[in-house]
């Protein structure tokens, strides 16, 4: 039976597919760590209270990158070069989602609108990350190899999502509601396209590594296209809704460490 659990188990059991999976994940997390660190350094004076939370967000992303690399090391594997078409973070930037790297590499302070763009991008992508980690936690939270990592990263992603809700609601209360909703919608519609394309590319690479028959690959591709159709019709709305989270001030403290992985 083809299921999310059986699919990931197959990827986990094979060295080459596991190496590609962890390499893609580590690369994206490390990129997110760099982006958050630069944003924290460029926060305008009027919003300096936000900088420690952005720094914490970036530190968590860096930690996740180290965790995925540590999982490879424990298995005696080295990271591989991430194929261009599977680079979710880079492709989002290419499609104009989030803050351009040129802006982050400059030394000019960001504006409040820049921060809203950053938070909107994060709110959408953290929704995706939190959902994926919830699924992995359900099926592999007790796994002897990846269980601890899955639980730790899942908890962090939930914190990140809560933080974006809270901060965007604060900016909405300050009069930026229309800009926030417009930006969230643009981010969500672009993200679901990029996620579809990256998912198809990742499954194509995994299929070749694992020797999947054409029928299996076609079925998975059809499932990805069906998910995109649902998200394009209505599913994207879950990525733009804002509500006060149960975890308030979720990034208010220092970043947690992962000594058993790093």
């Amino acid at each position: 039976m083809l299921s999310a659990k059986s699919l990931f188990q197959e990827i986990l059991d094979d060295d080459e597919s596991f190496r590609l999976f962890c390499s893609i994940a580590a690369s994206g997390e490390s990129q997110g760590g760099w982006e958050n660190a630069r944003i924290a350094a460029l926060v305008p004076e009027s919003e300096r209270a936000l900088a420690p939370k952005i720094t914490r967000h970036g530190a968590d992303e860096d930690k996740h990158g180290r965790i995925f690399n540590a999982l490879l090391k424990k298995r005696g594997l080295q990271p591989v070069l991430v194929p261009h078409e599977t680079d979710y973070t880079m492709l989002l930037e290419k499609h104009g989602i989030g803050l351009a790297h040129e802006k982050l590499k400059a030394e000019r302070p960001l504006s409040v609108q820049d921060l809203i763009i950053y938070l909107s991008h994060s709110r959408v992508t953290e929704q995706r990350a939190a959902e994926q980690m919830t699924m992995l936690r359900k099926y592999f939270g007790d796994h002897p190899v990846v269980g601890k990592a899955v639980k730790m990263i899942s908890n962090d992603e939930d914190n990140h999502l809560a933080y974006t809700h809270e901060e965007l609601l604060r900016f909405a209360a300050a009069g930026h509601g229309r800009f926030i909703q417009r930006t969230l919608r643009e981010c969500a519609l672009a993200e679901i396209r990029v996620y579809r394309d990256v998912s198809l590319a990742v499954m194509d690479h995994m299929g070749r590594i694992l020797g999947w028959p054409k029928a299996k690959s076609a079925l998975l591709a059809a499932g990805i296209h069906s998910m995109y159709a649902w998200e394009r019709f209505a599913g994207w709305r879950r990525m733009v809704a804002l509500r006060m989270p149960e975890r308030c001030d979720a990034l208010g403290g220092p970043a947690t460490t992962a000594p058993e992985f790093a």
Side-chain angles (χ1 to χ4, degrees), residues 3-134:
S3 65
K5 182 178 181 180
S6 65
L7 185 66
F8 188 77
Q9 186 67 61
E10 192 174 356
I11 292 170
L12 181 63
D13 288 344
D14 182 87
D15 280 351
E16 287 306 307
S17 57
F18 183 69
R19 185 159 74 139
L20 178 60
F21 172 82
C22 287
S23 297
I24 291 171
S27 175
E29 297 285 1
S30 297
Q31 185 64 47
W34 176 84
E35 290 175 356
N36 278 277
R38 289 302 303 152
I39 292 167
L42 299 174
V43 168
E45 284 300 321
S46 63
E47 295 292 336
R48 289 311 299 172
L50 189 57
K53 297 180 182 182
I54 301 174
T55 299
R56 161 78 184 273
H57 189 179
D60 284 346
E61 304 286 3
D62 280 335
K63 177 184 69 179
H64 299 168
R66 294 195 303 272
I67 288 173
F68 283 113
N69 282 319
L71 289 172
L72 287 174
K73 185 177 180 180
K74 283 185 177 181
R75 197 146 153 182
L77 302 172
Q78 292 293 322
V80 295
L81 187 65
V82 174
H84 170 85
E85 63 275 15
T86 68
D87 195 331
Y88 173 78
T89 305
M90 182 274 294
L91 289 172
L92 283 173
E93 196 223 348
K94 184 178 178 181
H95 283 76
I97 302 305
L99 297 176
H101 285 186
E102 288 76 9
K103 178 169 285 193
L104 298 184
K105 291 174 182 176
E107 295 300 329
R108 293 184 298 276
L110 300 173
S111 67
V112 168
Q113 282 201 338
D114 288 331
L115 292 180
I116 290 172
I117 290 170
Y118 149 70
L119 287 166
S120 298
H121 166 254
S122 295
R123 189 263 176 270
V124 168
T125 56
E126 294 297 344
Q127 177 81 37
R128 181 76 70 187
E131 289 173 353
Q132 288 181 324
M133 294 312 302
T134 295

Side-chain angles (χ1 to χ4, degrees), residues 53-260:
K53 297 180 182 182
I54 301 174
T55 299
R56 161 78 184 273
H57 189 179
D60 284 346
E61 304 286 3
D62 280 335
K63 177 184 69 179
H64 299 168
R66 294 195 303 272
I67 288 173
F68 283 113
N69 282 319
L71 289 172
L72 287 174
K73 185 177 180 180
K74 283 185 177 181
R75 197 146 153 182
L77 302 172
Q78 292 293 322
V80 295
L81 187 65
V82 174
H84 170 85
E85 63 275 15
T86 68
D87 195 331
Y88 173 78
T89 305
M90 182 274 294
L91 289 172
L92 283 173
E93 196 223 348
K94 184 178 178 181
H95 283 76
I97 302 305
L99 297 176
H101 285 186
E102 288 76 9
K103 178 169 285 193
L104 298 184
K105 291 174 182 176
E107 295 300 329
R108 293 184 298 276
L110 300 173
S111 67
V112 168
Q113 282 201 338
D114 288 331
L115 292 180
I116 290 172
I117 290 170
Y118 149 70
L119 287 166
S120 298
H121 166 254
S122 295
R123 189 263 176 270
V124 168
T125 56
E126 294 297 344
Q127 177 81 37
R128 181 76 70 187
E131 289 173 353
Q132 288 181 324
M133 294 312 302
T134 295
M135 181 270 291
L136 289 177
R137 186 170 189 162
K138 175 182 177 181
Y139 295 130
F140 296 96
D142 295 325
H143 191 278
V145 177
V146 301
K148 286 184 179 180
V150 164
K151 288 178 180 177
M152 182 175 292
I153 295 172
S154 180
N155 184 67
D156 287 345
E157 302 296 8
D158 288 344
N159 283 338
H160 300 167
L161 184 58
Y163 143 78
T164 61
H165 276 269
E166 188 173 9
E167 295 302 330
L168 284 170
L169 285 170
R170 179 174 67 84
F171 279 116
H176 300 282
R178 286 189 176 182
F179 181 67
I180 290 169
Q181 282 302 314
R182 185 168 68 251
T183 306
L184 281 171
R185 186 178 187 277
E186 290 173 358
C187 286
L189 292 176
E191 192 278 342
I192 64 173
R193 288 194 302 270
V194 170
Y195 183 72
R196 174 202 60 190
D197 294 343
V198 167
S199 296
L200 289 169
V202 170
M203 287 302 102
D204 181 61
H205 282 276
M206 293 300 179
R208 282 188 271 117
I209 291 171
L210 295 168
W212 289 339
K214 289 184 179 180
K216 181 174 181 177
S217 294
L219 183 61
L220 287 168
I224 292 168
H225 283 294
S226 295
M227 170 64 83
Y228 171 73
W230 174 78
E231 290 195 325
R232 185 66 183 83
F233 175 70
W236 62 272
R237 297 181 188 279
R238 78 191 189 285
M239 295 178 162
V240 303
L242 294 175
R243 62 186 180 279
M244 187 56 68
E246 294 181 7
R247 301 185 186 190
C248 289
D249 198 27
L251 297 187
T256 57
T257 59
E260 67 268 44

